[in-house]
């Protein structure tokens, strides 16, 4: 499977947001990963629909909106109207019934639906709902902040998930070339990376090297 790279703008310079988004587009990013936090589901607050609307104006890349919020169903319409192409909801924020209702709402707007799970959430939980999702976002850090260390115990979960799920499997948190290779070998095909990309001096080179983790150096 071809590896796609989704830079997480959480680690960008928000004072130059539009410019940074354009830079990662030029550098070969496949998606723009937008981390939405509400201060309840996670202990941090980031951005909302008004900012997503401006990101939409800055790029043609698909906007991959990762909702780390309670009551995600209340905000689907606003994030859809802001121009999201993909919306991900956490399994810890909505049970199976709510997830399928949210899915219907998201899909009715022509938006791809993703389900995310925290590092501590077992495989059995995602297995039960994965047929609802177009893609799965496996968290490899506890969500809330960029720049944390990758949690290696998620690798077996990715392997098991790949056995039952054919869509895109993205991994988010602590991704660099070494951890990117580990998760890609386990069956993931989308690498979400924040600090590794934005702290590098050369976005294009960093993104290219992430896309090539399974093929050695380039
Ligand atoms: C974590 C966010 C991630 C985060 C990744 O709560 O969902 O997308 O920004 O950042 P790095 O790559 O720095 O771990
Ligand atoms: Zn994220």
């Amino acid at each position: 499977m071809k590896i796609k790279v989704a830079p997480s703008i959480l680690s960008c310079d928000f004072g130059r947001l539009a410019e940074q988004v354009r830079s990662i587009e030029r550098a070969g990013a496949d998606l723009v990963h937008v981390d939405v936090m509400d201060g309840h589901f996670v202990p941090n607050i980031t951005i909302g629909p008004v900012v997503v609307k401006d990101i939409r104006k800055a790029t043609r890349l698909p906007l991959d909106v990762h909702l780390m919020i309670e009551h995600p169903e209340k905000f689907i319409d606003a994030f859809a109207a802001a121009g999201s192409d993909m919306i991900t909801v956490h399994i810890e924020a909505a049970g199976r019934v709510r997830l399928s209702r949210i899915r219907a709402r998201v899909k009715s707007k022509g938006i791809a639906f993703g389900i995310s799970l925290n590092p501590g959430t077992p495989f059995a939980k995602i297995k039960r709902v994965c047929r609802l999702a177009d893609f799965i976002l496996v968290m490899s850090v506890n969500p809330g902040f960029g720049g944390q260390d990758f949690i290696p115990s998620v690798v077996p979960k990715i392997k098991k998930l790949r056995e039952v799920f054919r869509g895109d499997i993205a991994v988010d948190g602590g991704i660099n070339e070494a951890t990117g290779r580990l998760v890609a070998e386990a069956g993931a095909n989308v690498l979400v990376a924040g600090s590794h990309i934005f702290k590098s001096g050369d976005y294009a080179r960093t993104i290219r090297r992430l896309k090539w983790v399974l093929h050695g150096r380039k």
Side-chain angles (χ1 to χ4, degrees), residues 8 10 33 35 37 66 68 139 143-147 172-174 192-195:
S8 159
L10 186 58
H33 184 86
D35 286 310
M37 305 185 186
H66 178 191
M68 286 161 276
M139 292 308 299
F145 301 91
D172 185 5
V192 178
S195 48

Side-chain angles (χ1 to χ4, degrees), residues 51-102:
V51 177
V52 173
K53 200 170 154 202
D54 281 349
I55 300 172
R56 175 73 290 158
K57 289 185 210 146
T59 181
R60 288 192 168 157
L61 289 177
L63 300 188
D64 164 26
V65 176
H66 178 191
L67 298 183
M68 286 161 276
I69 62 176
E70 284 179 3
H71 308 296
E73 64 280 357
K74 290 189 188 166
F75 298 95
I76 300 302
D77 289 1
F79 282 103
S84 310
D85 298 281
M86 303 153 69
I87 291 183
T88 302
V89 167
H90 268 261
I91 191 171
E92 300 85 5
R96 190 170 11 175
V97 176
R98 264 162 80 207
L99 275 179
S100 51
R101 259 190 241 133
I102 296 170

